[in-house]
Amino acid sequence: QVQLVESGGGLVQAGGSLRLSCAASGRTSNIYRVGWFRQAPGKEREFVARIRWSSSYTYYVDSVKGRFTISRDNAKNTVSLQMNSLKPEDTAVYYCAAGVRPVPIQYDYWGQGTQVTVSS
């Protein structure tokens, strides 16, 4: 089992920045990838970014490329999402998730989420 806890959400003005963290515990040696997702009110959950646990490979949804950066610290078992140039449309509950298999690209463990609100 892997446990995930997000932190770092909050209220920020448009154009501002926030840094989200995802702390992993439990069988972290089983993790293959960690992803960030978000869900805005009345909308479906959306993929944001992912990173492999043991390499520098990253992938982003087009809407956040150039603004968000995903990174990891294996020594601390954390994955961070640096969000810059935030827009009101980035407002959502952000979740981190972990997958343990190379394929298919799926996520087996989820955190509880952290709220990000961007005011205009």
Side-chain angles (χ1 to χ4, degrees):
Q1 293 285 335
V2 175
Q3 294 79 42
L4 303 171
V5 178
E6 303 95 336
S7 61
L11 173 64
V12 64
Q13 290 188 332
S17 299
L18 279 175
R19 186 177 181 87
L20 305 183
S21 292
C22 175
S25 60
R27 292 183 177 272
T28 58
S29 60
N30 291 347
I31 297 174
Y32 182 80
R33 73 177 61 80
V34 173
W36 283 96
F37 294 76
R38 63 187 180 186
Q39 188 166 21
K43 294 187 177 181
E44 294 188 354
R45 186 171 60 197
E46 174 189 31
F47 166 80
V48 176
R50 68 173 181 259
I51 188 168
R52 289 185 186 168
W53 194 249
S54 300
S55 80
S56 59
Y57 177 82
T58 58
Y59 183 79
Y60 300 87
V61 69
D62 286 346
S63 59
V64 307
K65 284 181 180 177
R67 300 189 300 123
F68 291 11
T69 302
I70 189 171
S71 62
R72 73 180 193 288
D73 183 337
N74 292 100
K76 297 182 179 180
N77 288 332
T78 60
V79 173
S80 298
L81 185 68
Q82 177 67 42
M83 306 187 295
N84 299 329
S85 302
L86 283 162
K87 305 174 182 180
E89 50 264 44
D90 294 317
T91 295
V93 177
Y94 283 70
Y95 300 89
C96 69
V100 300
R101 300 171 189 82
V103 290
I105 299 176
Q106 67 181 32
Y107 296 86
D108 308 287
Y109 304 98
W110 292 82
Q112 294 300 307
T114 185
Q115 176 71 48
V116 171
T117 304
V118 184
S119 63
S120 56

